[in-house]
Amino acid sequence: MNIRILLKSLSHTIFNLRKMLWRSSVSSLTFNLQYHFRSLVGFIRGLLCLLRGYVIFDGVWRPLIIGPGAQYLLEAQSVIVMRSKQQEIIHREFEYSLFKNASYLGFIPYWKFLNPPAHTNTIFRIQQGAKLIVSENTLICKGSYISIWPNKDLDIGKSVYIGPNVTINTKCGMRIGDNTMIAHGSTIWDYDGHPIYNENLEGPSDSYGGESSPIVIEQDVWIGYEVSILKGVHIGQGAIVGAKSCVTNDVPPYSIVAGNPAKIIKRNVTWRKY
């Protein structure tokens, strides 16, 4: 761990906390204190996870914040990889965050109202030899379920937002590009879940979980509310997936798809995060 970076991060934290509390109105002071208390508890949980050998760093040290109610189930030789190529602390998109350049797992963003609310805690199941790779400014909200099968990687890029109650279950390994937003209630599975046989009950010898095929989500993708993304799908850069869509085929870059099954409804579109 780089002690200089750690001390600089803590100094940023103290300065930002003082500034935010000074600017806070009486009505928002209680909310701010509760939010920042959860952040500090999450920071301590991240340090404990590091001391237990569950976290490694690819690049410079930066904070890992684990939500107070989040559960992480790591099997033998599985790790959380904190990837960072930044040499200096950078500002998060969330103005009120105490910990700059952090990754937040199982946390609630700085919003006074979360609609719909997350009623369950986050669960991270990282099986034997698997890796959860998180880059700068990643936020995986409370209520999500993340499962990574043995010896596979879930690679999440920079400034990725994964909303409440999202399920990601990967048997093949998965990549989610930078600046991607995944709205609450979405489901991303790269396998069938159960084997599907023909009429003679013939199937592959190793059929546990059914057929699988990798999913790739490129950068700058916006996935709407309660979307389902099934095995073998490649979503191109800058694409938008409409709410409650079921994506079974590839999505071209800079296009909008919607429906069940999802179909292209517009091409050559752009959107801006925040």
Side-chain angles (χ1 to χ4, degrees):
M1 180 186 299
N2 191 317
I3 300 299
R4 184 179 64 87
I5 296 294
L6 174 59
L7 293 176
K8 191 171 184 179
S9 177
L10 291 175
S11 67
H12 272 267
T13 299
I14 295 171
F15 174 77
N16 288 329
L17 179 60
R18 186 187 66 176
K19 181 174 65 175
M20 285 181 281
L21 294 179
W22 180 264
R23 294 186 307 177
S24 297
S25 64
V26 175
S27 60
S28 63
L29 182 59
T30 300
F31 174 80
N32 284 332
L33 289 173
Q34 290 175 346
Y35 176 80
H36 298 315
F37 176 76
R38 289 195 298 266
S39 296
L40 291 172
V41 172
F43 177 70
I44 293 171
R45 290 197 72 193
L47 288 179
L48 292 175
C49 194
L50 170 64
L51 293 174
R52 295 177 68 181
Y54 294 156
V55 180
I56 61 175
F57 292 91
D58 179 9
V60 298
W61 181 90
R62 58 190 180 82
L64 172 65
I65 314 299
I66 300 178
Q71 304 175 40
Y72 49 92
L73 311 173
L74 284 83
E75 297 183 2
Q77 300 177 335
S78 62
V79 292
I80 299 171
V81 180
M82 298 284 288
R83 181 173 55 201
S84 176
K85 303 303 179 183
Q86 300 290 337
Q87 298 302 316
E88 297 292 338
I89 296 173
I90 64 175
H91 293 286
R92 282 185 53 84
E93 290 173 312
F94 301 133
E95 178 183 359
Y96 295 98
S97 172
L98 287 179
F99 298 98
K100 306 304 178 184
N101 205 22
S103 289
Y104 287 75
L105 307 183
F107 211 74
I108 299 176
Y110 187 90
W111 298 334
K112 292 187 178 181
F113 303 99
L114 187 62
N115 185 22
H119 296 294
T120 59
N121 290 324
T122 303
I123 297 177
F124 296 91
R125 185 186 181 199
I126 308 174
Q127 299 187 48
Q128 184 172 358
K131 296 178 183 178
L132 171 61
I133 305 171
V134 288
S135 303
E136 301 95 332
N137 304 323
T138 302
L139 171 60
I140 301 177
C141 288
K142 180 181 177 182
S144 295
Y145 175 78
I146 309 295
S147 177
I148 311 171
W149 284 51
N151 303 309
K152 302 299 179 183
D153 296 348
L154 173 57
D155 189 337
I156 301 176
K158 294 191 296 184
S159 298
V160 171
Y161 170 84
I162 298 177
N165 305 318
V166 168
T167 297
I168 299 176
N169 198 335
T170 176
K171 184 180 180 182
C172 303
M174 188 182 304
R175 176 168 60 86
I176 301 174
D178 298 346
N179 302 309
T180 289
M181 297 181 67
I182 303 175
H184 47 270
S186 293
T187 301
I188 306 174
W189 282 50
D190 61 12
Y191 65 99
D192 289 334
H194 297 280
I196 301 174
Y197 299 95
N198 62 23
E199 60 183 3
N200 298 319
L201 296 181
E202 295 177 349
S205 58
D206 183 13
S207 59
Y208 181 71
E211 293 186 4
S212 60
S213 183
I215 293 173
V216 176
I217 301 173
E218 299 288 357
Q219 66 183 28
D220 303 316
V221 171
W222 179 6
I223 297 172
Y225 168 69
E226 288 192 351
V227 166
S228 295
I229 299 176
L230 305 185
K231 68 177 189 292
V233 166
H234 186 287
I235 300 181
Q237 180 175 348
I240 300 173
V241 182
K244 293 183 177 288
S245 298
C246 182
V247 185
T248 59
N249 295 305
D250 292 350
V251 177
Y254 304 105
S255 62
I256 301 177
V257 299
N260 185 2
K263 297 181 180 180
I264 300 172
I265 59 176
K266 196 170 185 179
R267 296 181 183 268
N268 300 319
V269 299
T270 57
W271 68 282
R272 179 185 299 176
K273 187 177 182 182
Y274 306 125

